[in-house]
Amino acid sequence: MELILKIAWRNILRHKGKSLIIGVILFLGSLLMTVGNGVISGMDHGLERNIVNGFLGDLVIIPGKEKSDNVLFKMYGESIDKIANYKDIKKLLQKEDYIAGFLPIGRNVAMILNEEEGDPGYAMLLGVDFDQYRRFFPNNFESVEGRLLAKGESGILIPLKHREDVYDQMNVWLIPEGSAVTDKNLSDDARKNRKYLNVKHDAVFMGMSDVYSSSDIRLPVRGIIRYNALNTIWGHFSIMDIESYRRCLGYFAASESAVKVTKEKKKLLEMDSSNLDAMFGTTDFVVADTGKADISGISFKRKEIPKTSGDVDLEDGAYNLILVRLKDRVSLNRGLSKLNRSLASANLGVRATTWKKASGFIGSMATLIKGALFVFVMFLFLVAIIIIVNTLTMAALERTTEIGMMRAVGAQKGFIGRMFLGETAILSGLFGGLGVLIGVIAVKITPLLRITSDNDLVQLLFGGDTFMPYLSLGDIAVVLFELLLVTFITVIYPVKVSRGITPLDAISRD
Amino acid sequence: MMRDTIVGRIPNMTSGRGARSRRKGDAKNIIEIRNLVKDYPLGSTTVHALRRMDLDIQEGDFLSIVGPSGSGKTTLLNVIGCIDHATDGSVKVGGTEITTLDDRQITDMRLHRIGFIFQTFNLIPVLDVRENVEFPLLLMKTMSKTEVRTRAEKLIDEVGLTEFVDHRPAELSGGQRQRVAIARALVTNPDIVLADEPTANLDSVTGAQILDLMRTMNKIEKTTFIFSTHDANVLKYARDIIKIKDGQIVKG
């Protein structure tokens, strides 16, 4: 091996031009791979950090009837079914020792009615017990205008981004009650129309549900908020107190008195609404009219601002999702499978999914971009491999006399092959290693530059507001493995050619 | 059948002076060739380079193969040296039938039993004189580093290149490079050393020195030397001479 490496190293120095060409290609390839992996890992880590810690938790429990796990970015008009048995689920979750915490929330879409005959607006709503929410996500947003919700208070917190959307849709500029327009927070369009701005402190929301009879409720805007990470993406989600949310979506609210449901009515309520034969085809269809059942369809009468919930047990009402945070060192997949086993055995009509699946395209964006970058890098490497293979093959053929003479004096084919492998490995180690090293340094330095973006897509690529590429030891190992693979692939054909050179070829060339 | 037209048991039938001296010693055959045929395809035709040749060469000989260009000298050396394959016939080197060996065995044969001196002083350009001479020994992996170095330096000394031991081939003259090739050919203590026109690229004085050296080494190392040439001046150095014409050995 010492002899092979000695010859290989001296041949590299002897053929400096070719060595440099191969070396530069390996260097650039390794650098690109390292930085690319750093960007992707940074995106992956950033998305995970920002989504798990600031928006969804690790796992999301969703109604069992939901066809898709993507509950965060469902299409408008597709509502998420409700979870009516939260207290039962809570008991189960409290017993699971791998769960660090959980938070029930409402999550659906509401229409914002335009009271001046204009187009309506839309709001993606998170219905929360605000105290619980802030305990679960202590630092995920900040108030930029007005204030946050007080305990048990009804109202809505609207992100900057959503306020701009509402202005674009309805020509209404929402500001918190009791406050004036803050000029610095105006969007460009709103600033242009500053004099004629239609300012409102409240809005009428009508839940959009394809199953339940929603209501329209008037709610005051308590504050304008800004999410601390991925604001341009999360900024579409307004935070509403859970009781208002329930009324808006037509769910039984916790503050409403309990309704005694007769056996017959319970059966009716459980029927599939699309199955008319089932509803009207039997003599069992006898409903006792208690006057309290919420089956009256959409009410067009705009309700007044609901009173605060007071001491009502909010957990009595319905939710749509339960966000679950796992304890440290519990892997996502392990936690998911354990939780799903528990939920299934308890027959609670819900299932758990990961934050990646629950966040739809955002969660899979990292995988998609990773795949795209991988294909791009592989394409570049394919080109690089072709160039290196060509250069090495030419080198092998140019050295026919030398190789043939070595074979003539007794070098086996394996020796010649190892000699070429040695040359490529040395080049790969030196130049590729340098590429990896510089790539790692670049990835480590970049976060210090605090590169930020407000663009949605760029934020996705960043995995947050700030560009934070990241490389784990595993990522570096992957890059080194890829480098090794490329080295091996590039050397196969030249080695085959060089092994095929015979002493006779050398003599014939002479 | 063809053997009727060519010279069999060549050392006895060529005009070499050494033939007589070796007969005195009853030396055994180091090379035995029977019915050797070598054909090359050339487009749609076939070139018959060697035509049913029989030949015995005795151990310790210093033999020259002569003949005009294209007569088959190099082809014969290549077949004997396990560099080229026979189309037909039998070739035994040191008692081993080489026509049936696979690539690995034939490479081992070249390494352990045959030394080569090429026309164009083929040395490994990235290795210095000592490393070039050590190269076959390092491939053999049978000696310690110290033994390898001692053996190589002994041969380098015998060819008179001790002061150039650290020089690369590019820093040597043609004659010096050929001396390195001789040392490398002999370093493994082979049964035979084959030299294809070893003086062709040298001036007459240097060529004479190389032939003198080869003959000296033949005496010192007791190694059989077979070299090809078409230079009449070179023939006087040979103990035995084989003349080849049109792929056949002819009487001289």
Side-chain angles (χ1 to χ4, degrees):
Chain A
M1 187 52 77
E2 187 186 338
L3 177 66
I4 287 173
L5 290 178
K6 184 194 285 178
I7 295 174
W9 173 245
R10 290 184 186 174
N11 268 321
I12 286 170
L13 296 179
R14 184 170 172 236
H15 304 282
K16 288 190 182 75
K18 288 190 182 70
S19 302
L20 203 62
I21 289 171
I22 296 169
V24 167
I25 292 169
L26 287 168
F27 169 78
L28 291 176
S30 304
L31 182 68
L32 190 71
M33 270 198 305
T34 310
V35 172
N37 271 316
V39 171
I40 292 168
S41 285
M43 178 176 64
D44 232 357
H45 273 76
L47 283 176
E48 182 168 357
R49 185 178 60 247
N50 290 322
I51 296 176
V52 170
N53 296 335
F55 215 78
L56 277 183
D58 295 296
L59 303 175
V60 180
I61 295 174
I62 63 177
K65 287 181 183 173
E66 287 298 317
K67 288 178 185 169
S68 165
D69 285 0
N70 173 14
V71 287
L72 203 60
F73 289 101
K74 291 191 91 166
M75 297 294 288
Y76 281 106
E78 274 188 82
S79 60
I80 300 172
D81 203 7
K82 66 181 178 184
I83 295 174
N85 53 344
Y86 170 65
K87 283 196 164 176
D88 297 333
I89 299 168
K90 180 181 176 182
K91 280 180 195 166
L92 181 143
L93 295 178
Q94 284 171 331
K95 290 177 190 167
E96 303 292 321
D97 59 359
Y98 53 91
I99 289 177
F102 49 91
L103 173 74
I105 62 167
R107 151 75 188 100
N108 261 308
V109 177
M111 187 183 288
I112 307 174
L113 301 185
N114 196 325
E115 297 171 277
E116 292 165 10
E117 307 297 323
D119 292 333
Y122 296 90
M124 293 165 84
L125 296 178
L126 297 179
V128 301
D129 172 348
F130 194 68
D131 278 358
Q132 265 190 347
Y133 184 79
R134 286 303 264 179
R135 281 199 298 275
F136 200 75
F137 297 123
N139 301 307
N140 69 332
F141 66 76
E142 59 187 4
S143 170
V144 292
E145 290 176 34
R147 60 181 175 80
L148 302 181
L149 290 169
K151 184 174 173 58
E153 184 181 38
S154 63
I156 189 164
L157 301 175
I158 295 181
L160 289 165
K161 177 74 178 168
H162 184 213
R163 177 165 69 174
E164 290 175 12
D165 291 344
V166 169
Y167 180 74
D168 293 342
Q169 292 159 354
M170 301 171 61
N171 204 25
V172 170
W173 188 254
L174 294 170
I175 60 170
E177 57 177 2
S179 68
V181 172
T182 308
D183 284 347
K184 67 172 184 177
N185 290 336
L186 288 172
S187 66
D188 292 342
D189 283 347
R191 188 170 288 114
K192 284 175 192 165
N193 294 320
R194 177 68 180 88
K195 282 185 181 175
Y196 312 102
L197 215 52
N198 185 8
V199 177
K200 285 188 177 295
H201 297 89
D202 58 42
V204 178
F205 296 87
M206 188 179 79
M208 295 176 70
S209 168
D210 50 1
V211 178
Y212 303 102
S213 305
S214 57
S215 306
D216 48 329
I217 58 166
R218 183 181 297 279
L219 272 184
V221 178
R222 302 292 187 193
I224 303 296
I225 59 170
R226 183 185 191 286
Y227 287 96
N228 289 328
L230 295 170
N231 183 57
T232 50
I233 295 164
W234 301 145
H236 298 287
F237 289 88
S238 289
I239 295 176
M240 188 181 276
D241 72 280
I242 185 67
E243 281 290 82
S244 303
Y245 172 84
R246 286 166 179 159
R247 290 191 181 94
C248 182
L249 267 292
Y251 300 161
F252 288 113
S255 56
E256 288 173 337
S257 55
V259 178
K260 287 188 178 177
V261 181
T262 62
K263 184 183 171 187
E264 292 81 6
K265 187 173 178 184
K266 189 180 178 195
K267 192 169 182 179
L268 175 65
L269 289 170
E270 288 173 348
M271 279 180 183
D272 184 347
S273 59
S274 63
N275 187 349
L276 296 178
D277 288 342
M279 292 178 78
F280 300 108
T282 72
T283 54
D284 293 340
F285 175 56
V286 180
V287 177
D289 184 5
T290 62
K292 293 178 180 176
D294 189 9
I295 54 172
S296 55
I298 298 172
S299 166
F300 291 99
K301 181 186 173 189
R302 291 169 189 168
K303 293 181 178 177
E304 293 307 309
I305 301 168
K307 291 175 182 174
T308 56
S309 306
D311 295 329
V312 171
D313 185 356
L314 294 176
E315 294 177 357
D316 283 334
Y319 297 96
N320 299 110
L321 309 171
I322 302 168
L323 313 183
V324 177
R325 186 169 288 146
L326 297 172
K327 284 183 178 169
D328 290 344
R329 298 187 180 184
V330 177
S331 78
L332 197 64
N333 288 334
R334 187 162 158 264
L336 178 69
S337 61
K338 284 181 85 170
L339 181 55
N340 267 331
R341 272 200 303 275
S342 298
L343 291 171
S345 62
N347 199 22
L348 291 169
V350 292
R351 69 174 189 273
T353 188
T354 61
W355 67 268
K356 277 194 175 184
K357 286 185 178 173
S359 55
F361 77 97
I362 295 199
S364 55
M365 188 57 74
T367 312
L368 281 173
I369 295 177
K370 188 179 269 188
L373 196 68
F374 178 78
V375 170
F376 176 67
V377 168
M378 281 301 111
F379 175 75
L380 286 183
F381 260 98
L382 186 68
V383 175
I385 283 169
I386 291 169
I387 296 171
I388 294 173
V389 166
N390 189 46
T391 311
L392 283 174
T393 306
M394 291 300 292
L397 292 173
E398 282 173 13
R399 284 156 62 183
T400 295
T401 307
E402 178 187 331
I403 293 166
M405 184 273 302
M406 285 182 178
R407 296 275 287 126
V409 297
Q412 294 284 359
K413 286 179 175 177
F415 180 90
I416 305 298
R418 286 196 297 278
M419 189 176 75
F420 266 83
L421 187 62
E423 285 180 31
T424 316
I426 290 172
L427 285 174
S428 187
L430 284 178
F431 288 91
L434 189 67
V436 173
L437 184 68
I438 291 178
V440 169
I441 293 170
V443 167
K444 295 286 178 194
I445 288 176
T446 305
L448 304 177
L449 303 176
R450 307 294 301 170
I451 301 168
T452 58
S453 172
D454 289 332
N455 180 280
D456 284 18
L457 271 175
V458 177
Q459 280 201 359
L460 272 179
L461 192 67
F462 287 3
D465 303 331
T466 310
F467 187 38
M468 302 276 279
Y470 169 84
L471 274 174
S472 66
L473 284 176
D475 293 326
I476 295 170
V478 167
V479 173
L480 291 176
F481 174 75
E482 287 169 339
L483 186 63
L484 200 67
L485 190 68
V486 167
T487 306
F488 183 71
I489 291 171
T490 53
V491 91
I492 290 174
Y493 185 68
V495 162
K496 186 173 180 289
V497 169
S498 62
R499 280 169 59 97
I501 293 172
T502 65
L504 203 56
D505 293 329
I507 292 168
S508 304
R509 178 168 281 209
D510 277 354
Chain B
M1 43 177 180
M2 292 293 286
R3 287 170 69 183
D4 295 338
T5 60
I6 61 169
V7 181
R9 309 290 182 267
I10 293 303
N12 295 332
M13 302 184 74
T14 54
S15 58
R17 288 160 289 168
R20 284 188 300 276
S21 63
R22 280 179 297 99
R23 279 198 299 275
K24 285 177 192 171
D26 290 329
K28 63 177 181 179
N29 290 335
I30 190 74
I31 293 168
E32 293 176 351
I33 295 173
R34 296 287 178 273
N35 223 12
L36 175 62
V37 175
K38 179 63 188 177
D39 295 336
Y40 291 112
L42 187 68
S44 56
T45 61
T46 302
V47 175
H48 304 291
L50 298 175
R51 303 169 187 236
R52 303 226 170 262
M53 181 182 285
D54 285 358
L55 176 65
D56 289 342
I57 298 175
Q58 292 185 326
E59 201 172 26
D61 206 345
F62 194 75
L63 176 79
S64 177
I65 299 172
V66 296
S69 289
S71 60
K73 304 186 297 292
T74 300
T75 303
L76 178 59
L77 280 182
N78 288 344
V79 172
I80 293 170
C82 303
I83 281 176
D84 206 352
H85 298 282
T87 306
D88 195 12
S90 163
V91 180
K92 285 184 181 174
V93 176
T96 303
E97 177 60 56
I98 62 168
T99 55
T100 56
L101 300 180
D102 63 23
D103 184 75
R104 174 165 284 278
Q105 291 168 326
I106 220 154
T107 306
D108 270 342
M109 190 80 188
R110 288 198 297 263
L111 176 62
H112 291 95
R113 304 178 75 166
I114 301 167
F116 289 95
I117 302 165
F118 296 102
Q119 188 175 333
T120 47
F121 356 99
N122 285 309
L123 301 175
I124 301 171
V126 295
L127 299 181
D128 61 28
V129 168
R130 182 194 290 115
E131 290 163 341
N132 262 290
V133 178
E134 286 177 348
F135 184 72
L137 293 178
L138 293 170
L139 292 176
M140 288 170 83
K141 296 177 183 169
T142 53
M143 298 167 78
S144 70
K145 273 188 179 179
T146 313
E147 288 171 328
V148 166
R149 178 142 297 193
T150 306
R151 171 78 179 149
E153 287 180 350
K154 175 178 177 285
L155 265 298
I156 291 166
D157 184 49
E158 285 175 8
V159 299
L161 287 175
T162 302
E163 60 185 299
F164 296 98
V165 76
D166 294 323
H167 287 230
R168 298 259 179 107
E171 298 162 347
L172 301 174
S173 68
Q176 287 170 326
R177 285 185 224 175
Q178 206 62 310
R179 285 166 185 267
V180 178
I182 292 168
R184 186 186 63 190
L186 289 164
V187 77
T188 57
N189 201 15
D191 293 339
I192 52 173
V193 170
L194 303 171
D196 188 14
E197 309 244 13
T199 59
N201 286 345
L202 302 174
D203 61 74
S204 58
V205 176
T206 310
Q209 288 172 348
I210 290 298
L211 286 164
D212 276 335
L213 176 65
M214 283 167 57
R215 201 159 60 181
T216 306
M217 299 306 286
N218 168 250
K219 284 176 184 166
I220 296 171
E221 301 286 333
K222 310 292 182 200
T223 305
T224 308
F225 271 76
I226 305 168
F227 59 96
S228 67
T229 185
H230 59 261
D231 183 351
N233 291 327
V234 173
L235 290 179
K236 62 185 178 189
Y237 292 90
R239 205 175 293 141
D240 290 315
I241 296 171
I242 299 170
K243 290 183 180 174
I244 296 184
K245 189 179 180 186
D246 297 330
Q248 294 176 321
I249 296 173
V250 295
K251 284 186 179 178

